[in-house]
Structure formats: C-alpha cells, structure tokens
C-alpha cells in the first residue's frame, strides 16, 4: 500500500511539474490545459500540489441544488405557507426557524422573547407565535403586551401573511418570485461574496420550479412540496455545477465532465482498470444473478465497452498533446 501511495504522489508531482513548466516557461495559458481523471478524489489531491506551486486551477464541483442553504430556506418558507393554509398555527415550529434566517437579521434574543410571550398565552389563540405577532400588529391597545416585538420580526410576520394570501391568489411561480424579491433573497445574493454563484442558484431554482409547473400546470403547492420531499427521501438530486478557483486556471475534470470540451494539453491520470472500473455497479464477481432477473442490466462486456468509450472521450479532448500516466499495482 505504501508503495502505491508513493507512486500516486510521484505522478502528481510529475504532472504538477510538467504543467508548471508549460505555464511558466513555455507561456501556455492555464485554461488551455486539462487534467482528466475518473474520480473526484484525484482532483482534490492534485489541488494540494497546484496550490503549493501557485498554479491557477478551475474545478467544476457538482452540487445538489435542493441541498443548498438558500434553496432550503425558500423551500422551508413554502412549507410554512402550505402548512398554515391547510391548518392554521400548525407551522409555528417552522416559523420559529424562519425568523432565525440570517438574511432577516433578527437578533436571536428578540425571537426568544416573542416566543416566550406567545407561550404565555398573550394571543387570540394560546401559544401561537403567528397569532401573537398578528395580535400585536393589529391590536388597538398595545399596552396590553409587555414589550413590542423587534421591528424586523413584525416586518417578516407581515411578509408571511402576504405570502400566505398570495398562495391562493397567484401562481406558484409568481409566489416564488415574490418570496425571492420581497424576502430580500435577491438582495442577499447580490451582497454575498460569491454573488455570481448565489445568483445562479436562484436562477436555477426558478428554472426548476418552472419546469415542474410546465410538466404539471394544475398542481397545488402541496403537490410540489410532496415531490421535493420524495426527491429528498430517495436521494434524487438536481445537479448544479459550481466553479471553484480561477475560471482561467488549469481545468481539473472527470472524464464525464470533459465531454464536449477540447484543450491543447491533456493529462489523463491513473489510467488503470482498478480506478476506472471501481464505480461500476455491475462488476460484482462474487455472485451471478439468474438470466431472467434484471434482463436490462448491462453485461460485463457491455460495461467494459462503456468504460472504453469513456476513456476514448478523455483522450480525444486533446487537440495537440496528450499524456497518459498510470501506476503499477505489482508488489
């Protein structure tokens, strides 16, 4: 194992050295160079060497749109709206979390104070945070309450009431747009350090919802949320690729991610079957399923052909120069 690790370190050092020579001595633009591998872990390991040599790099990282923080907040707002429309006050747990969203900038202690006051029964409906806030906003005798809720809590409470009403009067797409704009999600994205990425996340979220509504125009908000819950439970992702590093840097790509691209210099790393076939779900050599089971499952031969085609894709990304490296697994 130590020998294999040493060889892996060796080829990474060699590739890094070759690329450093191309960039610094031969004047090759980093974006015209690509390192292609089978598994993302190889790219992560290479980054350490690139950083040590100050070689600019560009990595396209695959994200699940539905797991991103800003999207999860939007989904939680939709869940709260649907819950309150179905059965008022049942969304108070969600409301408590929503008030803590960083983009609303409400001090946590102020949320705690409002929650305690609601639990003490100072509302039309006892223990309801939503009703407590609305009672305070609309009461003609504010002196009945111990302390005025934080202004931002009142602002968010009014927004939520508007969106709850919107949800039965406008389309789901329009409701989502209202939340993004009125809820300051757009402003939050514009003020973020990774502004371009956050804006892309919001755009992709809108595109995903529009596509789902186009697929089934008459679906209710509850149906859309059921779909999202199902996707989460079944680990179904909505892929979104994020550029990490310098857009003009050396491209670190998986073979799949390199499809359709071309570079002057291409380095293919760890070109051995152990690495390229390790993710193959049909390469189980411990048992054989009966011929009548899963007849559409690719045969070992078909899978080998697919791997060869993938490797061919990686090789043909090179316009002028191709370097293939491997390590020996022999003791």
């Amino acid at each position: 194992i130590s020998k294999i690790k040493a060889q892996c370190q060796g080829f990474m050092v060699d590739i890094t050295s070759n690329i450093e020579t191309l960039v610094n001595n031969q004047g090759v633009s980093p974006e015209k160079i690509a390192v292609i591998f089978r598994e993302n872990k190889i790219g992560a390991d290479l980054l350490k060497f690139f950083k040590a040599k100050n070689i600019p790099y560009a990595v396209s990282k695959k994200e699940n749109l539905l797991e991103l923080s800003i999207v999860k907040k939007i989904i939680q707002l939709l869940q709260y709206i649907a819950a309150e429309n179905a059965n008022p006050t049942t969304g108070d747990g969600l409301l408590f979390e929503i008030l803590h969203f960083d983009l609303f900038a409400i001090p946590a202690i102020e949320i705690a104070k409002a929650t305690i006051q609601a639990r003490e029964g100072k509302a039309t409906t006892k223990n309801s945070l939503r009703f407590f806030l609305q009672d305070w906003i609309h009461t003609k005798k504010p002196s009945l309450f111990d302390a005025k809720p934080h202004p931002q809590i009142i602002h968010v409470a009014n927004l939520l009431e508007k969106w709850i009403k919107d949800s039965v009067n406008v389309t789901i797409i329009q409701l989502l747009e209202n939340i993004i704009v009125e809820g300051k999600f757009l402003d939050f994205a514009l003020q973020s350090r990774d502004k371009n990425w956050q804006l892309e996340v919001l755009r992709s979220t809108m595109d995903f919802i529009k596509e789902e509504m186009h697929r089934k125009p008459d679906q209710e908000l509850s149906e859309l949320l059921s779909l999202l819950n199902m996707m989460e439970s079944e680990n179904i992702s909505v892929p979104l690729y994020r550029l990490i590093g310098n857009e003009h840097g050396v491209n670190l790509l998986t073979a799949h991610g390199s499809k359709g691209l071309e570079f002057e210099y291409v380095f293919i790393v760890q070109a051995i079957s152990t690495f390229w076939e390790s993710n193959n779900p049909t390469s189980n050599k411990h048992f054989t399923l009966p011929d009548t089971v899963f007849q559409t499952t690719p045969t070992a031969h078909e899978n080998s052909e697919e791997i060869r085609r993938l490797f061919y894709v990686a090789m043909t990304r090179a316009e002028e120069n191709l370097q293939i490296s491997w390590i020996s697994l022999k003791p």
Side-chain angles (χ1 to χ4, degrees), residues 75-319:
I75 293 174
Q76 196 163 354
L77 282 167
L78 294 175
Q79 290 171 334
Y80 173 73
I81 292 167
E84 289 299 306
N85 267 331
N87 192 357
T89 77
T90 58
D92 261 18
L94 287 169
L95 175 56
F96 180 76
E97 294 181 8
I98 287 168
L99 291 176
H100 284 85
F101 286 178
D102 48 3
L103 76 165
F104 293 148
I106 303 172
I109 188 63
E110 297 298 332
I111 301 171
K113 289 178 182 178
T115 303
I116 291 172
Q117 287 180 290
R119 287 176 180 173
E120 288 176 350
K122 297 180 179 180
T124 304
T125 301
K126 187 176 181 179
N127 298 330
S128 169
L129 181 57
R130 176 189 176 189
F131 275 67
F132 162 69
L133 294 174
Q134 290 307 308
D135 278 354
W136 205 101
I137 292 168
H138 298 292
T139 185
K140 295 180 180 179
K141 297 180 179 180
S143 59
L144 291 174
F145 296 89
D146 296 333
K148 179 182 179 180
H150 191 278
Q152 188 63 7
I153 293 182
I154 294 176
H155 173 68
V156 173
N158 283 332
L159 277 178
L160 290 169
E161 292 301 312
K162 176 185 180 300
W163 296 336
I164 290 171
K165 188 174 181 179
D166 284 349
S167 67
V168 295
N169 291 292
V170 302
T171 65
I172 292 177
I173 294 173
Q174 184 61 56
L175 173 63
L176 182 60
E177 289 179 351
N178 292 349
I179 290 173
I180 289 175
V181 176
E182 297 169 354
K184 303 299 182 181
F185 282 87
L186 184 58
D187 290 347
F188 184 79
L190 288 169
Q191 294 167 12
S192 300
R193 287 184 297 178
D194 53 348
K195 177 178 67 175
N196 292 337
W197 167 246
Q198 295 295 346
L199 290 174
E200 176 63 20
V201 170
L202 290 178
R203 185 195 65 79
S204 298
T205 302
M206 285 296 303
D207 288 347
F208 172 73
I209 299 300
K210 286 178 180 178
E211 184 177 337
E212 286 303 317
M213 295 309 299
H214 178 74
R215 183 181 60 83
K216 190 177 180 182
D218 59 343
Q219 68 178 308
E220 301 290 335
L221 178 59
S222 58
E223 293 180 80
L224 177 63
L225 291 171
S226 294
L227 170 66
L228 296 175
N229 288 334
M230 182 275 293
M231 292 177 69
E232 180 181 8
S233 62
E234 298 296 328
N235 293 319
I236 300 173
S237 66
V238 179
L240 185 65
Y241 291 89
R242 180 178 189 177
L243 180 67
I244 299 175
N246 187 327
E247 62 179 339
H248 300 296
V250 175
N251 298 272
L252 302 180
L253 305 162
T254 62
H256 280 291
S258 70
K259 290 181 179 179
L261 303 175
E262 291 185 335
F263 308 92
E264 285 187 17
Y265 295 83
V266 169
F267 297 80
I268 299 179
V269 300
Q270 291 204 345
I272 56 176
S273 60
T274 303
F275 290 97
W276 282 74
E277 297 179 7
S278 60
N279 290 329
N280 170 24
T282 64
S283 62
N284 194 321
K285 298 180 181 179
H286 298 292
F287 61 88
T288 303
L289 292 173
D291 293 337
T292 54
V293 178
F294 303 130
Q295 293 183 0
T296 58
T297 300
T299 64
H301 173 72
E302 290 172 338
N303 184 69
S304 295
E305 288 301 315
E306 175 60 27
I307 291 172
R308 290 189 180 94
R309 284 193 290 270
L310 185 61
F311 193 78
Y312 176 78
V313 167
M315 289 193 300
T316 53
R317 299 311 90 200
E319 294 177 323

